[in-house]
Coordinates of all heavy atoms in Angstrom, one line a residue:
M155 N 19.6 -19.2 9.1 CA 18.7 -19.1 8.0 C 17.9 -20.4 7.9 O 18.6 -21.4 7.8 CB 19.3 -18.7 6.7 CG 18.4 -18.7 5.5 SD 19.2 -18.2 4.1 CE 18.2 -17.1 3.5
K156 N 16.7 -20.4 7.8 CA 15.9 -21.6 7.7 C 16.0 -22.2 6.5 O 15.8 -21.5 5.3 CB 14.4 -21.3 8.1 CG 13.6 -22.5 8.2 CD 12.2 -22.2 8.6 CE 11.2 -23.4 8.6 NZ 10.0 -23.0 8.9
K157 N 16.2 -23.5 6.2 CA 16.3 -24.2 5.0 C 14.8 -24.5 4.5 O 13.9 -24.9 5.2 CB 16.9 -25.5 5.2 CG 17.8 -25.9 4.0 CD 18.5 -27.1 4.3 CE 19.5 -27.6 3.2 NZ 20.1 -28.7 3.4
Q158 N 14.6 -24.0 3.2 CA 13.2 -24.3 2.5 C 13.4 -25.3 1.5 O 14.4 -25.3 0.7 CB 12.7 -23.0 2.0 CG 12.3 -22.0 2.9 CD 11.6 -20.8 2.3 OE1 11.4 -20.7 1.1 NE2 11.4 -19.7 3.1
G159 N 12.3 -26.0 1.2 CA 12.2 -27.0 0.1 C 11.8 -26.1 -1.1 O 11.7 -25.0 -1.1
A160 N 11.9 -26.8 -2.3 CA 11.5 -26.2 -3.5 C 10.2 -25.5 -3.5 O 10.0 -24.5 -4.0 CB 11.6 -27.2 -4.7
K161 N 9.1 -26.3 -2.9 CA 7.8 -25.8 -2.9 C 7.8 -24.5 -2.2 O 7.1 -23.5 -2.4 CB 6.9 -26.8 -2.3 CG 6.5 -27.8 -3.2 CD 5.5 -28.8 -2.7 CE 5.2 -29.9 -3.7 NZ 4.1 -30.8 -3.2
G162 N 8.6 -24.3 -1.0 CA 8.6 -23.2 -0.2 C 9.1 -22.0 -0.9 O 8.8 -20.9 -0.9
L163 N 10.3 -22.3 -1.7 CA 10.9 -21.2 -2.4 C 9.9 -20.7 -3.6 O 9.8 -19.5 -3.8 CB 12.2 -21.7 -3.0 CG 13.3 -22.0 -2.1 CD1 14.5 -22.7 -2.6 CD2 13.7 -20.6 -1.5
I164 N 9.3 -21.6 -4.2 CA 8.4 -21.3 -5.3 C 7.3 -20.5 -4.7 O 6.8 -19.5 -5.4 CB 7.8 -22.4 -6.1 CG1 9.0 -23.2 -6.8 CG2 6.6 -22.2 -6.9 CD1 8.7 -24.6 -7.3
R165 N 6.8 -20.8 -3.6 CA 5.7 -20.0 -2.9 C 6.1 -18.5 -2.7 O 5.3 -17.7 -2.7 CB 5.3 -20.7 -1.8 CG 4.3 -20.1 -0.9 CD 2.9 -20.6 -1.2 NE 1.9 -20.1 -0.3 CZ 0.9 -19.4 -0.8 NH1 0.7 -19.3 -2.1 NH2 0.1 -18.8 -0.1
E166 N 7.4 -18.3 -2.5 CA 8.0 -17.0 -2.2 C 8.1 -16.1 -3.4 O 8.3 -14.9 -3.3 CB 9.1 -17.1 -1.3 CG 8.9 -17.7 0.0 CD 8.2 -17.0 0.9 OE1 8.2 -15.8 1.0 OE2 7.3 -17.6 1.5
I167 N 8.1 -16.6 -4.6 CA 8.4 -15.9 -5.8 C 7.3 -14.7 -5.9 O 7.9 -13.6 -6.3 CB 8.4 -16.8 -7.1 CG1 9.6 -17.8 -7.0 CG2 8.4 -16.0 -8.4 CD1 9.8 -18.8 -8.1
P168 N 6.1 -15.0 -5.9 CA 5.2 -13.7 -6.0 C 5.5 -12.7 -5.1 O 5.5 -11.4 -5.4 CB 3.8 -14.4 -5.7 CG 3.9 -15.8 -5.9 CD 5.3 -16.1 -5.6
K169 N 5.9 -12.9 -3.8 CA 6.3 -11.9 -2.9 C 7.6 -11.1 -3.4 O 7.4 -9.8 -3.4 CB 6.6 -12.5 -1.5 CG 5.2 -13.0 -0.9 CD 5.6 -13.5 0.5 CE 4.5 -14.2 1.2 NZ 4.9 -15.0 2.4
A170 N 8.5 -11.8 -3.9 CA 9.7 -11.2 -4.4 C 9.4 -10.4 -5.6 O 9.9 -9.3 -5.7 CB 10.7 -12.3 -4.7
L171 N 8.6 -10.8 -6.4 CA 8.2 -10.0 -7.7 C 7.4 -8.8 -7.3 O 7.5 -7.7 -8.0 CB 7.3 -10.9 -8.6 CG 8.1 -12.0 -9.4 CD1 7.1 -12.8 -10.1 CD2 9.2 -11.4 -10.2
L172 N 6.6 -8.8 -6.3 CA 5.8 -7.5 -6.0 C 6.5 -6.7 -5.0 O 6.0 -5.5 -4.9 CB 4.4 -8.1 -5.4 CG 3.4 -8.8 -6.5 CD1 2.3 -9.4 -5.7 CD2 3.1 -7.8 -7.6
N173 N 7.4 -7.1 -4.2 CA 7.9 -6.4 -3.1 C 8.9 -5.3 -3.6 O 9.2 -4.3 -3.0 CB 8.8 -7.2 -2.2 CG 7.9 -7.9 -1.2 OD1 6.7 -7.5 -0.9 ND2 8.3 -9.0 -0.6
W174 N 9.2 -5.2 -4.9 CA 10.0 -4.1 -5.6 C 9.2 -2.9 -5.6 O 9.8 -1.8 -5.5 CB 10.6 -4.7 -6.8 CG 9.6 -4.7 -7.9 CD1 8.8 -5.7 -8.3 CD2 9.1 -3.6 -8.8 NE1 7.9 -5.4 -9.3 CE2 8.0 -4.1 -9.6 CE3 9.4 -2.3 -8.9 CZ2 7.4 -3.3 -10.5 CZ3 8.7 -1.5 -9.8 CH2 7.7 -2.1 -10.6
Y175 N 8.0 -3.0 -5.7 CA 7.2 -1.7 -5.8 C 6.7 -1.3 -4.6 O 6.1 -2.0 -3.7 CB 6.0 -2.0 -6.7 CG 5.2 -0.8 -7.2 CD1 5.8 0.0 -8.3 CD2 4.2 -0.2 -6.4 CE1 5.2 1.2 -8.6 CE2 3.6 1.0 -6.9 CZ 4.1 1.6 -7.9 OH 3.5 2.8 -8.3
P176 N 6.8 0.1 -4.2 CA 6.3 0.6 -2.9 C 4.8 0.9 -2.9 O 4.4 2.0 -2.9 CB 7.3 1.9 -2.8 CG 7.4 2.3 -4.3 CD 7.5 1.0 -5.0
F177 N 4.0 -0.1 -2.8 CA 2.5 0.1 -2.7 C 2.3 0.9 -1.3 O 3.0 0.6 -0.4 CB 1.9 -1.3 -2.6 CG 1.8 -1.9 -3.9 CD1 2.7 -3.1 -4.2 CD2 1.0 -1.7 -5.0 CE1 2.7 -3.7 -5.4 CE2 0.9 -2.3 -6.1 CZ 1.8 -3.3 -6.4
K178 N 1.5 1.7 -1.4 CA 1.0 2.5 -0.3 C 0.4 1.6 0.8 O -0.4 0.7 0.4 CB 0.0 3.6 -0.6 CG 0.5 4.7 -1.4 CD -0.5 5.7 -2.0 CE -0.1 6.6 -3.0 NZ -1.3 7.2 -3.6
P179 N 0.6 1.8 2.1 CA -0.1 1.0 3.1 C -1.6 1.3 2.9 O -2.1 2.4 2.6 CB 0.4 1.5 4.4 CG 1.6 2.3 4.1 CD 1.5 2.7 2.6
D180 N -2.5 0.3 3.1 CA -3.9 0.4 3.0 C -4.4 0.7 1.7 O -5.4 1.4 1.5 CB -4.5 1.3 4.1 CG -4.3 1.0 5.5 OD1 -4.5 -0.3 5.8 OD2 -4.1 1.7 6.4
A181 N -3.6 0.5 0.6 CA -4.0 0.9 -0.7 C -5.2 -0.1 -1.1 O -5.3 -1.1 -0.7 CB -2.8 0.6 -1.6
R182 N -6.0 0.5 -2.1 CA -7.1 -0.2 -2.6 C -6.6 -0.6 -3.9 O -6.2 0.2 -4.8 CB -8.3 0.7 -2.9 CG -9.0 1.1 -1.5 CD -10.2 2.0 -1.9 NE -10.8 2.4 -0.6 CZ -11.2 3.6 -0.5 NH1 -11.0 4.6 -1.4 NH2 -11.7 4.0 0.7
I183 N -6.6 -2.0 -4.2 CA -6.1 -2.6 -5.4 C -7.2 -3.3 -6.1 O -7.8 -4.2 -5.5 CB -4.9 -3.5 -5.2 CG1 -3.8 -2.6 -4.4 CG2 -4.4 -4.2 -6.4 CD1 -2.5 -3.4 -4.0
L184 N -7.4 -3.1 -7.4 CA -8.2 -3.8 -8.2 C -7.4 -5.0 -8.8 O -6.5 -4.7 -9.4 CB -8.8 -2.9 -9.4 CG -9.5 -3.6 -10.5 CD1 -10.8 -4.2 -9.7 CD2 -10.0 -2.7 -11.5
Y185 N -7.7 -6.2 -8.3 CA -6.9 -7.3 -8.8 C -7.7 -8.0 -9.9 O -8.7 -8.5 -9.6 CB -6.5 -8.2 -7.6 CG -5.5 -9.2 -8.0 CD1 -4.2 -9.0 -7.9 CD2 -5.8 -10.5 -8.4 CE1 -3.1 -9.9 -8.3 CE2 -4.9 -11.4 -8.7 CZ -3.6 -11.1 -8.6 OH -2.7 -12.0 -9.1
I186 N -7.0 -8.0 -11.1 CA -7.7 -8.7 -12.2 C -7.3 -10.1 -12.2 O -6.2 -10.4 -12.6 CB -7.4 -8.0 -13.5 CG1 -7.9 -6.5 -13.3 CG2 -8.2 -8.6 -14.5 CD1 -7.5 -5.5 -14.4
G187 N -8.3 -11.1 -11.8 CA -7.9 -12.4 -11.9 C -8.5 -13.1 -10.5 O -9.1 -12.4 -9.6
E188 N -8.3 -14.4 -10.5 CA -8.7 -15.1 -9.2 C -7.7 -15.0 -8.1 O -6.6 -14.6 -8.4 CB -9.0 -16.5 -9.5 CG -10.1 -16.8 -10.6 CD -10.4 -18.2 -10.8 OE1 -9.8 -19.0 -10.2 OE2 -11.3 -18.4 -11.7
K189 N -8.2 -15.2 -6.8 CA -7.3 -15.2 -5.7 C -6.1 -16.2 -6.1 O -6.4 -17.4 -6.4 CB -8.0 -15.5 -4.4 CG -7.1 -15.3 -3.3 CD -8.0 -15.4 -2.1 CE -7.2 -14.9 -0.9 NZ -7.9 -14.6 0.4
D190 N -5.0 -15.8 -5.9 CA -3.7 -16.5 -6.2 C -2.6 -16.1 -5.2 O -2.8 -15.1 -4.6 CB -3.4 -16.5 -7.6 CG -3.0 -15.2 -8.3 OD1 -2.8 -14.2 -7.4 OD2 -3.0 -14.9 -9.5
P191 N -1.4 -16.7 -5.4 CA -0.3 -16.3 -4.5 C 0.1 -14.8 -4.7 O 0.5 -14.1 -3.7 CB 0.8 -17.2 -4.9 CG 0.2 -18.4 -5.5 CD -1.1 -18.0 -6.1
Y192 N -0.1 -14.2 -5.9 CA 0.2 -12.8 -6.1 C -0.7 -12.0 -5.3 O -0.3 -11.0 -4.6 CB 0.2 -12.4 -7.6 CG 1.2 -13.2 -8.5 CD1 0.9 -14.3 -9.1 CD2 2.5 -12.6 -8.4 CE1 1.9 -15.0 -9.9 CE2 3.5 -13.2 -9.2 CZ 3.2 -14.4 -9.9 OH 4.1 -15.0 -10.7
G193 N -2.1 -12.2 -5.5 CA -3.0 -11.5 -4.7 C -2.8 -11.7 -3.1 O -2.9 -10.8 -2.2
E194 N -2.5 -12.9 -2.7 CA -2.2 -13.2 -1.4 C -1.0 -12.4 -0.8 O -1.0 -11.8 0.4 CB -2.0 -14.6 -1.1 CG -3.2 -15.5 -1.2 CD -3.1 -16.9 -1.2 OE1 -2.0 -17.4 -1.0 OE2 -4.1 -17.7 -1.5
A195 N 0.0 -12.3 -1.7 CA 1.2 -11.5 -1.3 C 0.9 -10.0 -1.0 O 1.4 -9.4 -0.2 CB 2.4 -11.6 -2.3
L196 N 0.0 -9.5 -2.0 CA -0.4 -8.1 -1.8 C -1.3 -7.9 -0.5 O -1.0 -6.9 0.2 CB -1.2 -7.6 -2.9 CG -0.5 -7.4 -4.2 CD1 -1.4 -7.4 -5.5 CD2 0.4 -6.3 -4.1
E197 N -2.0 -8.9 -0.2 CA -2.9 -8.8 1.0 C -2.0 -8.8 2.3 O -2.3 -8.1 3.2 CB -3.9 -9.9 1.2 CG -5.1 -9.8 0.1 CD -6.0 -10.9 0.0 OE1 -5.6 -12.1 0.4 OE2 -7.2 -10.8 -0.4
E198 N -1.0 -9.7 2.1 CA 0.0 -9.7 3.3 C 0.7 -8.5 3.6 O 1.1 -8.2 4.6 CB 1.0 -10.8 3.1 CG 0.4 -12.2 3.3 CD 1.5 -13.3 2.9 OE1 2.7 -12.9 2.9 OE2 1.0 -14.5 2.8
C199 N 0.8 -7.7 2.6 CA 1.4 -6.3 2.7 C 0.4 -5.2 3.3 O 0.8 -4.1 3.4 CB 1.8 -5.7 1.3 SG 3.2 -6.8 0.7
G200 N -0.8 -5.6 3.4 CA -1.8 -4.7 4.0 C -2.7 -4.0 3.0 O -3.4 -3.1 3.4
A201 N -2.6 -4.5 1.8 CA -3.5 -4.0 0.8 C -4.9 -4.4 0.9 O -5.1 -5.5 1.3 CB -2.9 -4.2 -0.6
R202 N -5.8 -3.6 0.4 CA -7.2 -4.0 0.3 C -7.5 -4.4 -1.1 O -7.6 -3.5 -1.9 CB -8.2 -2.9 0.9 CG -8.0 -2.6 2.4 CD -8.8 -1.6 2.9 NE -8.1 -0.3 2.4 CZ -8.7 0.8 2.5 NH1 -9.9 0.9 2.9 NH2 -8.1 1.9 2.1
L203 N -7.7 -5.6 -1.4 CA -8.0 -6.1 -2.8 C -9.4 -6.4 -3.1 O -10.2 -6.8 -2.2 CB -7.2 -7.4 -3.0 CG -5.7 -7.2 -3.5 CD1 -4.9 -6.6 -2.5 CD2 -5.1 -8.6 -4.0
S204 N -9.7 -6.0 -4.4 CA -11.0 -6.4 -4.9 C -10.8 -7.2 -6.1 O -10.0 -6.8 -7.0 CB -11.8 -5.2 -5.3 OG -12.2 -4.4 -4.2
Y205 N -11.1 -8.5 -6.0 CA -10.8 -9.5 -7.1 C -12.0 -9.3 -8.2 O -13.2 -9.4 -7.8 CB -10.7 -10.9 -6.6 CG -9.6 -11.2 -5.7 CD1 -9.6 -11.1 -4.4 CD2 -8.4 -11.5 -6.3 CE1 -8.5 -11.3 -3.6 CE2 -7.3 -11.8 -5.4 CZ -7.4 -11.7 -4.1 OH -6.3 -11.9 -3.4
V206 N -11.6 -9.3 -9.4 CA -12.5 -9.2 -10.5 C -12.0 -10.0 -11.7 O -10.8 -9.9 -12.0 CB -12.9 -7.7 -10.8 CG1 -11.7 -6.9 -11.3 CG2 -14.1 -7.7 -11.8
S207 N -12.8 -10.7 -12.4 CA -12.4 -11.4 -13.6 C -12.5 -10.5 -14.8 O -13.3 -9.4 -14.8 CB -13.3 -12.7 -13.8 OG -14.6 -12.3 -14.3
I208 N -11.9 -10.8 -15.9 CA -12.0 -10.2 -17.1 C -13.4 -10.0 -17.6 O -13.9 -9.1 -18.0 CB -11.0 -10.8 -18.3 CG1 -9.6 -10.8 -17.9 CG2 -11.5 -10.3 -19.6 CD1 -8.9 -9.6 -18.2
R209 N -14.1 -11.2 -17.5 CA -15.5 -11.3 -17.9 C -16.4 -10.3 -17.1 O -17.3 -9.5 -17.6 CB -16.0 -12.7 -17.7 CG -17.4 -13.0 -18.4 CD -17.9 -14.3 -18.2 NE -18.3 -14.2 -16.8 CZ -19.0 -15.2 -16.3 NH1 -19.5 -16.3 -16.9 NH2 -19.4 -15.1 -15.1
E210 N -16.1 -10.2 -15.8 CA -16.8 -9.1 -15.0 C -16.5 -7.7 -15.3 O -17.4 -6.9 -15.4 CB -16.5 -9.4 -13.5 CG -17.1 -10.7 -12.9 CD -16.5 -10.9 -11.6 OE1 -15.4 -10.8 -11.3 OE2 -17.4 -11.3 -10.5
L211 N -15.3 -7.6 -15.7 CA -14.9 -6.1 -16.1 C -15.5 -5.7 -17.4 O -15.9 -4.5 -17.5 CB -13.3 -6.1 -16.3 CG -12.5 -5.8 -15.1 CD1 -11.0 -5.8 -15.5 CD2 -12.9 -4.5 -14.3
K212 N -15.9 -6.6 -18.3 CA -16.6 -6.3 -19.6 C -18.0 -6.2 -19.3 O -18.7 -5.8 -20.2 CB -16.1 -7.4 -20.6 CG -14.8 -7.3 -20.9 CD -14.6 -8.4 -22.2 CE -13.3 -8.0 -22.9 NZ -13.2 -8.7 -24.1
G213 N -18.6 -6.7 -18.2 CA -19.9 -6.6 -17.9 C -20.6 -5.2 -17.6 O -19.7 -4.3 -17.2
E214 N -21.8 -4.9 -17.7 CA -22.5 -3.7 -17.4 C -22.3 -3.2 -16.0 O -22.2 -2.1 -15.7 CB -23.9 -3.8 -17.8 CG -24.2 -3.9 -19.2 CD -25.6 -4.0 -19.5 OE1 -26.5 -3.5 -18.7 OE2 -26.0 -4.5 -20.6
G215 N -22.1 -4.1 -15.0 CA -21.9 -3.8 -13.6 C -20.7 -2.9 -13.4 O -20.7 -2.0 -12.7
W216 N -19.6 -3.4 -14.1 CA -18.3 -2.5 -13.9 C -18.3 -1.3 -14.7 O -17.6 -0.4 -14.3 CB -17.1 -3.5 -14.3 CG -16.7 -4.2 -13.0 CD1 -17.0 -5.4 -12.6 CD2 -15.8 -3.7 -12.0 NE1 -16.4 -5.7 -11.3 CE2 -15.7 -4.6 -11.1 CE3 -15.2 -2.6 -11.9 CZ2 -14.9 -4.5 -9.9 CZ3 -14.4 -2.3 -10.6 CH2 -14.3 -3.3 -9.7
Q217 N -19.1 -1.3 -15.8 CA -19.1 -0.1 -16.5 C -19.8 1.0 -15.7 O -19.5 2.2 -15.9 CB -20.0 -0.3 -17.8 CG -19.5 -1.4 -18.7 CD -18.1 -1.1 -19.4 OE1 -17.8 0.2 -19.7 NE2 -17.4 -2.2 -19.7
A218 N -20.7 0.7 -14.7 CA -21.4 1.7 -14.0 C -20.8 1.9 -12.5 O -21.3 2.7 -11.9 CB -22.8 1.2 -13.8
Q219 N -19.6 1.4 -12.3 CA -19.0 1.4 -11.1 C -18.5 3.0 -10.8 O -18.2 3.6 -11.7 CB -17.8 0.6 -10.9 CG -18.0 -0.9 -10.7 CD -18.6 -1.3 -9.4 OE1 -18.2 -0.6 -8.4 NE2 -19.6 -2.1 -9.3
P220 N -18.5 3.3 -9.6 CA -17.9 4.7 -9.4 C -16.5 4.8 -9.9 O -15.7 3.9 -9.8 CB -17.9 4.9 -7.8 CG -18.8 3.8 -7.4 CD -18.9 2.7 -8.3
Q221 N -16.3 5.9 -10.4 CA -14.8 6.2 -11.0 C -13.9 6.7 -9.9 O -14.2 7.3 -8.9 CB -14.9 7.3 -12.1 CG -15.8 6.7 -13.2 CD -15.8 7.7 -14.4 OE1 -15.2 8.7 -14.5 NE2 -16.6 7.3 -15.3
G222 N -12.5 6.5 -10.1 CA -11.5 6.9 -9.2 C -11.5 6.4 -7.8 O -11.1 6.9 -6.9
Y223 N -11.8 5.1 -7.8 CA -11.9 4.4 -6.4 C -10.6 3.7 -6.1 O -10.1 3.8 -4.9 CB -13.0 3.5 -6.4 CG -13.2 2.6 -5.1 CD1 -13.7 3.3 -3.9 CD2 -12.7 1.4 -4.9 CE1 -13.9 2.7 -2.7 CE2 -12.9 0.7 -3.7 CZ -13.4 1.3 -2.7 OH -13.5 0.7 -1.4
F224 N -9.9 3.1 -6.9 CA -8.8 2.2 -6.7 C -7.4 3.0 -6.8 O -7.4 4.0 -7.7 CB -8.7 1.0 -7.6 CG -9.9 0.1 -7.4 CD1 -11.0 0.2 -8.0 CD2 -9.7 -0.9 -6.3 CE1 -12.0 -0.8 -7.9 CE2 -10.8 -1.6 -6.1 CZ -11.9 -1.7 -6.8
D225 N -6.5 2.6 -6.0 CA -5.1 3.2 -6.1 C -4.2 2.5 -7.1 O -3.5 3.3 -7.7 CB -4.4 3.2 -4.7 CG -5.2 3.9 -3.6 OD1 -5.4 5.1 -3.8 OD2 -5.6 3.2 -2.7
Y226 N -4.4 1.3 -7.3 CA -3.7 0.5 -8.2 C -4.6 -0.5 -8.8 O -5.6 -1.0 -8.3 CB -2.6 -0.2 -7.5 CG -1.7 0.5 -6.7 CD1 -1.9 0.7 -5.2 CD2 -0.6 1.3 -7.1 CE1 -1.1 1.4 -4.5 CE2 0.3 2.0 -6.4 CZ 0.0 2.2 -4.9 OH 0.8 2.9 -4.2
A227 N -4.2 -1.1 -10.1 CA -4.7 -2.2 -10.6 C -3.5 -3.2 -10.9 O -2.6 -2.8 -11.3 CB -5.4 -1.8 -12.0
V228 N -3.7 -4.4 -10.6 CA -2.7 -5.4 -10.8 C -3.3 -6.6 -11.6 O -4.4 -7.1 -11.3 CB -2.2 -6.0 -9.4 CG1 -1.2 -7.1 -9.6 CG2 -1.5 -4.8 -8.6
C229 N -2.6 -6.9 -12.7 CA -3.1 -8.0 -13.4 C -1.9 -8.9 -13.8 O -0.9 -8.4 -14.3 CB -3.7 -7.5 -14.7 SG -4.4 -8.7 -15.8
V230 N -1.9 -10.2 -13.4 CA -0.9 -11.2 -13.8 C -1.4 -12.3 -14.7 O -2.2 -13.1 -14.2 CB -0.4 -11.8 -12.5 CG1 0.8 -12.7 -12.8 CG2 0.1 -10.7 -11.5
G231 N -0.9 -12.2 -16.0 CA -1.3 -13.3 -16.9 C -2.7 -13.4 -17.3 O -3.2 -14.4 -17.6
Q232 N -3.5 -12.2 -17.4 CA -4.8 -12.1 -17.8 C -5.0 -11.4 -19.2 O -5.8 -11.9 -19.9 CB -5.7 -11.6 -16.7 CG -5.7 -12.3 -15.4 CD -6.4 -13.6 -15.5 OE1 -7.4 -13.8 -16.1 NE2 -5.6 -14.7 -14.9
M233 N -4.5 -10.3 -19.3 CA -4.7 -9.4 -20.4 C -4.3 -10.1 -21.8 O -5.1 -10.0 -22.7 CB -4.0 -8.1 -20.3 CG -4.4 -7.2 -19.1 SD -6.1 -6.7 -19.5 CE -6.2 -5.5 -18.2
E234 N -3.2 -10.8 -21.6 CA -2.8 -11.4 -23.0 C -3.8 -12.5 -23.4 O -3.6 -13.0 -24.6 CB -1.4 -11.9 -22.9 CG -1.2 -13.0 -21.8 CD -0.7 -12.4 -20.4 OE1 -1.0 -11.2 -20.3 OE2 -0.3 -13.2 -19.7
R235 N -4.6 -13.0 -22.6 CA -5.6 -14.0 -23.0 C -6.9 -13.4 -23.7 O -7.7 -14.2 -24.2 CB -6.0 -14.8 -21.7 CG -4.9 -15.6 -21.2 CD -5.4 -16.2 -20.0 NE -4.3 -16.9 -19.2 CZ -4.4 -17.5 -18.0 NH1 -5.5 -17.5 -17.5 NH2 -3.3 -18.0 -17.5
D236 N -7.1 -12.1 -23.6 CA -8.2 -11.6 -24.1 C -8.0 -11.1 -25.6 O -6.8 -10.5 -25.7 CB -8.7 -10.4 -23.2 CG -10.1 -9.9 -23.6 OD1 -11.0 -10.6 -23.0 OD2 -10.1 -8.9 -24.4
P237 N -8.9 -11.2 -26.5 CA -8.7 -10.8 -27.9 C -8.7 -9.3 -27.9 O -8.2 -8.7 -28.9 CB -9.8 -11.5 -28.5 CG -10.9 -11.9 -27.6 CD -10.1 -11.9 -26.4
D238 N -9.4 -8.6 -27.0 CA -9.5 -7.1 -27.2 C -9.2 -6.5 -25.8 O -10.2 -5.9 -25.1 CB -10.8 -6.8 -27.7 CG -10.9 -5.3 -28.1 OD1 -9.8 -4.6 -28.2 OD2 -12.1 -4.6 -28.3
P239 N -7.8 -6.5 -25.4 CA -7.7 -5.9 -24.1 C -7.9 -4.3 -23.9 O -8.1 -3.8 -22.9 CB -6.2 -6.2 -23.9 CG -5.7 -6.5 -25.2 CD -6.8 -7.0 -26.0
A240 N -8.0 -3.7 -25.0 CA -8.3 -2.2 -25.0 C -9.5 -1.8 -24.3 O -9.6 -0.9 -23.4 CB -8.4 -1.7 -26.4
D241 N -10.6 -2.6 -24.3 CA -11.8 -2.4 -23.7 C -11.6 -2.5 -22.2 O -12.0 -1.7 -21.3 CB -12.9 -3.4 -24.1 CG -13.4 -3.1 -25.5 OD1 -13.1 -2.1 -26.0 OD2 -14.1 -4.1 -26.0
I242 N -10.7 -3.5 -21.8 CA -10.5 -3.7 -20.3 C -9.7 -2.5 -19.9 O -10.0 -2.1 -18.7 CB -9.7 -5.1 -20.2 CG1 -10.7 -6.2 -20.7 CG2 -9.3 -5.3 -18.8 CD1 -9.9 -7.5 -20.8
F243 N -8.7 -2.1 -20.5 CA -7.9 -1.1 -20.1 C -8.7 0.2 -19.8 O -8.5 0.9 -19.1 CB -6.7 -0.7 -21.0 CG -5.5 -1.8 -21.0 CD1 -5.2 -2.6 -22.0 CD2 -4.8 -1.8 -19.8 CE1 -4.1 -3.5 -21.9 CE2 -3.8 -2.7 -19.7 CZ -3.5 -3.5 -20.7
A244 N -9.7 0.5 -20.6 CA -10.5 1.6 -20.6 C -11.3 1.5 -19.3 O -11.5 2.6 -18.6 CB -11.4 1.7 -21.8
V245 N -11.9 0.4 -19.0 CA -12.6 0.3 -17.7 C -11.7 0.5 -16.4 O -12.0 1.1 -15.6 CB -13.4 -1.2 -17.6 CG1 -14.0 -1.3 -16.3 CG2 -14.4 -1.3 -18.7
V246 N -10.5 -0.1 -16.5 CA -9.6 -0.1 -15.5 C -9.1 1.5 -15.3 O -9.0 1.8 -14.1 CB -8.3 -0.9 -15.6 CG1 -7.3 -0.8 -14.6 CG2 -8.8 -2.4 -15.6
K247 N -8.9 2.1 -16.3 CA -8.5 3.4 -16.3 C -9.5 4.3 -15.6 O -9.2 5.2 -14.6 CB -8.2 4.0 -17.6 CG -7.7 5.5 -17.7 CD -7.6 5.9 -19.2 CE -7.1 7.3 -19.0 NZ -6.9 7.9 -20.4
K248 N -10.7 4.1 -15.8 CA -11.8 4.8 -15.1 C -12.0 4.5 -13.6 O -12.3 5.3 -12.8 CB -13.2 4.5 -15.6 CG -13.4 5.2 -17.1 CD -14.7 4.7 -17.7 CE -14.9 5.3 -19.0 NZ -16.1 4.7 -19.6
A249 N -11.5 3.3 -13.3 CA -11.6 2.8 -11.8 C -10.5 3.4 -11.0 O -10.6 3.4 -9.8 CB -11.6 1.3 -12.0
L250 N -9.4 3.8 -11.6 CA -8.2 4.2 -11.0 C -8.3 5.7 -10.5 O -9.0 6.5 -11.3 CB -6.9 4.1 -11.7 CG -6.6 2.6 -12.1 CD1 -5.4 2.5 -13.0 CD2 -6.2 2.0 -10.6
K251 N -7.7 6.1 -9.5 CA -7.7 7.4 -9.0 C -6.9 8.4 -10.0 O -6.0 7.9 -10.6 CB -7.1 7.7 -7.5 CG -8.0 7.1 -6.4 CD -7.4 7.1 -5.2 CE -8.4 6.7 -4.2 NZ -7.7 6.8 -2.8

């Protein structure tokens, strides 16, 4: 087994947190937030990610997006920062299959 430093181990945490869930191969994932190690871990699994910010989700452009396009929505550390996450959940719900 290859020895890893602390930085290497920390870099692997997102993969470990996400690997418990059986995402479908080639899944379309709406990733709420900026590109980060969690998004990268999903991409490494073969998922097709669309990154979007909370601000973008609340904009008119996302309100008019086709419904039922994404297989999953993933959000890490974003919703709790918004004062009214119910609006965001409504948009995300429409975007999911």
Side-chain angles (χ1 to χ4, degrees):
M155 178 180 223
K156 187 178 175 183
K157 215 175 182 185
Q158 292 186 9
K161 286 185 180 182
L163 291 172
I164 291 170
R165 178 94 175 123
E166 296 298 315
I167 290 173
K169 291 179 191 174
L171 290 173
L172 294 170
N173 280 339
W174 69 269
Y175 191 83
F177 290 100
K178 298 177 198 168
D180 292 328
R182 291 185 185 128
I183 298 178
L184 176 61
Y185 191 86
I186 303 165
E188 296 180 7
K189 190 167 188 171
D190 61 12
Y192 294 98
E194 291 171 5
L196 289 167
E197 289 174 339
E198 287 176 16
C199 295
R202 294 176 284 166
L203 270 66
S204 294
Y205 291 91
V206 64
S207 69
I208 296 277
R209 195 181 73 163
E210 290 172 313
L211 276 176
K212 288 186 167 190
E214 290 180 22
W216 269 94
Q217 302 292 331
Q219 287 289 323
Q221 297 181 7
Y223 181 76
F224 293 98
D225 300 301
Y226 307 97
V228 175
C229 181
V230 179
Q232 299 293 315
M233 294 292 192
E234 59 270 17
R235 296 179 186 171
D236 193 84
D238 190 13
D241 292 342
I242 300 163
F243 283 116
V245 173
V246 171
K247 182 179 176 182
K248 290 178 185 174
L250 292 171
K251 291 181 178 175

